[in-house]
Amino acid sequence: MRSKILAGTAAIVIMVVALAAQQPQQGQPAPQPPAPVDDIGTLVGRLELEKYKATLKGLTQFGDRRQGTKRNRDAVNWIQKQLESYGYTNAERITYDPPVPTRECGPSVPASVVKPEPQRQGGAGGGGAAGAAGGGRAAGAAGGTGARAGGGGGGGGNAGRGLATGSGGSRLVGNRLPTSVNCDPMAQPDERIRTLNSGPIIPGPVDEVYVTKIGTKYPNEMYIVGAHMDGHGYNEAVNDDGSGTALVMELARVFADPKVETERSIRFALWNGEEGGLNGARAYVAQRQALQGIENPKGSGKYPEPKWLGMIQHDMMMWDHGMPKPVIGPDGKPQVDANGRGVLAVSKEQRLEADVNVEFQIASKFADEAMKLAFVFKLAGEKYATDYPVNVGPHMTNTDSGPFQDIVPAISLRENERGAQTGAGWNPTWHTPLDVWTTFTDKDFRLGLNAAQTTLAALAQLTGAKVK
């Protein structure tokens, strides 16, 4: 009996000692539970600036990748091989017949569709589209090369200022320059790039490629993530839209890891023919919309075209150098041209207020849902983008999300607001010989990377991504 009592007492003493050992000693912090695993942060951390740049650099070997050319077809083949090298075995293509161009270069649209922007009376600067409609070369150049303000009269400090309506329902405010598509191969000073872009347009069907990350729980639902791989202007189409294409390819690479699972599917689409009038995106909608959510073969659990939950476009991701500003001469005064109009130029340096712009279209059928989707991206960027803020605007326009906007919530990510800023001449590389690799710096490339971080984080949240 005595031995049992002693044994019991010893057991109690051991328990008390053990409990005491688990209690924090005076002056020591209590032990903390392990931090929860942040799968989204893990995935975002797999995006690297040098990998993004390497993918983008690879696209430049095909010049401007103009729709219908051999260089464009070669680029589509290269993109597919890259996607397959990440591990995708389900690459598919959309084939379509592009419309016959109505002019030597530029969008394949009737001339009556292209109208000058309205201008204010009394010397206000003309709208960006006025320059495009007139067929003139892009004004303003990276590095501070001056150009006169479009359609403007004098007015001292107000040269080139005024208000006008931009595309997508936007409002043009402040200094602006005309914009246009370069159609002159000899305007490209680099002989190597001229040679890359020397081939003719070849009549016949055009392809675009996409791959799909299959969801584990809801394979019949998906988000479409896109960018257009074609360009024009006798350049390397680095920013428009190699920057978006490389971004989507890098996202596809991260999600291709078999240890990364998503509850819902994600389709990574590299559109063709955007510059010719959103041709590839329109073809995709025409050919695939009616197939949504259909199991084929029945009972297989396979859905060749899962139900669309949203469309996320990426178009021109790197250049945010601000509004055109007056060029100041050696005498400290604003320069004027021979007609007394103020000379404007865009800075060669990225502006301090650079940001990632997420746009939805306020006039679309799914405006409310698209706005909510846009703010999912803004909040994802606030948490996971390393260098730049994310801002939301309501005037999405002139990109491949347009054909989707009345079918499903659709947004686009950009470097600037497309209508109010790009359309006002904020980007002198747009469709010009300046859209080449050497124009851009790591600050520009990093802005594109931050857009990738934003989209990856938002997608991971929306699709329930987990790292096994």
Side-chain angles (χ1 to χ4, degrees), residues 188-207:
Q188 174 52 253
D190 190 316
E191 183 177 358
R192 178 188 63 83
I193 297 175
R194 287 202 306 271
T195 301
L196 279 178
N197 294 319
S198 61
I201 292 178
I202 304 169
V206 171
D207 288 348

Side-chain angles (χ1 to χ4, degrees), residues 27 29 49 130 141 209 227 229 232 262 330 391 397 426 431 445:
L49 180 62
V209 65
M229 49 72 60
H232 60 180
T262 59
N391 287 307
T397 186
W426 284 37
H431 298 162
F445 294 123

Side-chain angles (χ1 to χ4, degrees), residues 334-347:
Q335 292 186 0
V336 296
D337 64 14
N339 296 313
R341 290 178 286 199
V343 177
L344 303 175
V346 177
S347 173

Side-chain angles (χ1 to χ4, degrees), residues 9 41 57 100 125 132 149 156 159 169 207 229 244 269 272 289 307 309 316 338 344 350 352 385 397 401 418 437 441:
T9 303
K57 182 66 173 177
V100 178
D207 288 348
M229 49 72 60
N272 206 338
Q289 181 182 358
K307 179 183 177 182
L309 299 179
M316 301 172 64
L344 303 175
Q350 187 184 87
L352 296 176
T397 186
S401 45
R418 168 58 180 84
W437 183 263
T441 70

Side-chain angles (χ1 to χ4, degrees), residues 255-343:
F255 279 104
D257 186 340
K259 293 184 179 180
V260 176
E261 292 185 350
T262 59
E263 293 183 349
R264 290 175 170 81
S265 299
I266 308 171
R267 178 154 292 170
F268 302 98
L270 289 315
W271 313 116
N272 206 338
E274 190 269 357
E275 303 293 5
L278 316 182
N279 299 327
R282 295 184 193 280
Y284 183 93
V285 170
Q287 296 179 30
R288 308 294 296 182
Q289 181 182 358
L291 304 177
Q292 289 183 74
I294 298 175
E295 188 180 26
N296 189 13
K298 284 191 175 182
S300 66
K302 296 180 179 180
Y303 298 85
E305 191 66 28
K307 179 183 177 182
W308 304 346
L309 299 179
M311 196 275 147
I312 301 105
Q313 172 71 358
H314 302 83
D315 196 348
M316 301 172 64
M317 311 310 303
M318 303 193 307
W319 183 277
D320 192 357
H321 291 212
M323 180 186 294
K325 294 184 173 72
V327 175
I328 306 301
D331 58 358
K333 298 180 180 179
Q335 292 186 0
V336 296
D337 64 14
N339 296 313
R341 290 178 286 199
V343 177

Side-chain angles (χ1 to χ4, degrees), residues 2-335:
R2 179 182 175 83
S3 62
K4 290 183 178 179
I5 294 174
L6 290 173
T9 303
I12 292 172
V13 171
I14 291 171
M15 290 176 63
V16 170
V17 171
L19 288 171
Q22 294 177 20
Q23 299 301 315
Q25 299 298 313
Q26 188 172 6
Q28 294 182 352
Q32 299 298 314
V37 176
D38 183 1
D39 288 320
I40 296 177
T42 298
L43 293 174
V44 171
R46 295 178 181 179
L47 292 170
E48 300 175 18
L49 180 62
E50 292 307 315
K51 287 184 178 179
Y52 174 63
K53 289 171 62 178
T55 303
L56 179 47
K57 182 66 173 177
L59 288 163
T60 66
Q61 66 186 293
F62 306 104
D64 64 9
R65 306 182 295 282
R66 186 180 175 188
Q67 176 186 253
T69 60
K70 182 179 183 299
R71 58 189 181 271
N72 176 278
R73 290 174 167 86
D74 290 343
V76 173
N77 293 334
W78 181 83
I79 290 169
Q80 179 169 338
K81 288 180 180 178
Q82 293 297 111
L83 294 171
E84 290 173 341
S85 75
Y86 305 154
Y88 290 97
T89 58
N90 58 7
E92 297 185 66
R93 294 196 181 194
I94 292 287
T95 301
Y96 64 93
D97 291 309
V100 178
T102 57
R103 43 184 153 171
E104 175 59 25
C105 67
S108 301
V109 294
S112 61
V113 175
V114 184
K115 299 177 181 179
E117 304 282 1
Q119 301 179 21
R120 292 184 67 188
Q121 300 295 320
R137 290 182 55 193
T145 301
R148 68 177 179 81
N158 291 322
R161 298 188 66 83
L163 305 178
T165 301
S167 58
S170 61
R171 183 185 185 189
L172 303 180
V173 180
N175 297 333
R176 54 190 183 270
L177 292 167
T179 63
S180 65
V181 179
N182 173 57
C183 297
D184 179 10
M186 297 309 297
Q188 174 52 253
D190 190 316
E191 183 177 358
R192 178 188 63 83
I193 297 175
R194 287 202 306 271
T195 301
L196 279 178
N197 294 319
S198 61
I201 292 178
I202 304 169
V206 171
D207 288 348
E208 61 191 11
V209 65
Y210 61 85
V211 295
T212 308
K213 175 75 174 181
I214 305 297
T216 58
K217 189 174 182 179
Y218 305 104
N220 58 326
E221 299 177 354
M222 76 173 175
Y223 287 89
I224 301 173
V225 181
H228 72 89
M229 49 72 60
D230 68 304
H232 60 180
Y234 295 96
N235 49 44
E236 293 178 311
V238 172
N239 193 44
D240 187 13
D241 185 28
S243 62
T245 299
L247 185 158
V248 172
M249 292 174 69
E250 280 297 283
L251 297 183
R253 176 184 63 79
V254 171
F255 279 104
D257 186 340
K259 293 184 179 180
V260 176
E261 292 185 350
T262 59
E263 293 183 349
R264 290 175 170 81
S265 299
I266 308 171
R267 178 154 292 170
F268 302 98
L270 289 315
W271 313 116
N272 206 338
E274 190 269 357
E275 303 293 5
L278 316 182
N279 299 327
R282 295 184 193 280
Y284 183 93
V285 170
Q287 296 179 30
R288 308 294 296 182
Q289 181 182 358
L291 304 177
Q292 289 183 74
I294 298 175
E295 188 180 26
N296 189 13
K298 284 191 175 182
S300 66
K302 296 180 179 180
Y303 298 85
E305 191 66 28
K307 179 183 177 182
W308 304 346
L309 299 179
M311 196 275 147
I312 301 105
Q313 172 71 358
H314 302 83
D315 196 348
M316 301 172 64
M317 311 310 303
M318 303 193 307
W319 183 277
D320 192 357
H321 291 212
M323 180 186 294
K325 294 184 173 72
V327 175
I328 306 301
D331 58 358
K333 298 180 180 179
Q335 292 186 0

